[in-house]
């Protein structure tokens, strides 16, 4: 079912990808220093970095408004140990 894209989810993914780019461009800086530079806690920074590794089809589904109804920005953030394996992400987040 296609709905209006969830603006909070999209903003969260944009921020996650921006933080990921910060890590890549950070020349080996510790996460704590990068988090401070972004004005967030190390824990929040780390959780968002994990979101930058979402499976491309999950990211596209969110952008298109095709994510499962239960998947909100808060619920996605609550998965602080989101698996890196894409098939596990799909199962955990309700895409499988």
């Amino acid at each position: 079912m296609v709905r209006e894209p969830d603006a909070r989810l999209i903003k969260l993914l944009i921020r996650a990808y921006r933080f990921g780019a910060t890590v890549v461009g950070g020349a080996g800086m510790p996460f704590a220093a990068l988090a401070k530079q972004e004005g967030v806690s190390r824990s929040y920074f780390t959780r968002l970095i994990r979101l930058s590794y979402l499976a491309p089809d999950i990211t596209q589904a969110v952008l298109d408004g095709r994510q499962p109804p239960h998947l909100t920005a808060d619920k996605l953030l609550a998965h602080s140990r989101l698996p890196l394996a894409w098939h596990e992400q799909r199962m955990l987040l309700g895409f499988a």
Side-chain angles (χ1 to χ4, degrees):
M1 176 181 169
V2 177
R3 300 179 296 287
E4 282 294 312
D6 183 324
R8 284 193 67 218
L9 261 175
I10 291 171
K11 284 181 185 179
L12 188 65
L13 292 182
I14 289 169
R15 196 168 202 199
Y17 281 96
R18 193 184 84 224
F19 284 8
T22 299
V23 169
V24 170
M29 284 177 63
F31 270 28
L34 293 172
K36 185 176 182 179
Q37 178 181 306
E38 291 291 337
V40 298
S41 71
R42 184 183 187 282
S43 171
Y44 182 77
F45 187 82
T46 302
R47 280 185 284 159
L48 257 67
I49 292 298
R50 281 182 117 26
L51 295 182
S52 71
Y53 292 98
L54 275 177
D57 57 304
I58 294 175
T59 300
Q60 191 62 56
V62 169
L63 295 174
D64 295 342
R66 294 182 291 107
Q67 73 277 1
H70 70 276
L71 186 61
T72 63
D74 292 335
K75 287 187 180 175
L76 188 55
L77 264 178
H79 290 291
S80 61
R81 293 285 180 214
L82 188 67
L84 293 177
W86 290 347
H87 69 280
E88 291 177 21
Q89 292 175 3
R90 290 181 192 104
M91 290 173 47
L92 180 69
L93 299 176
F95 287 89

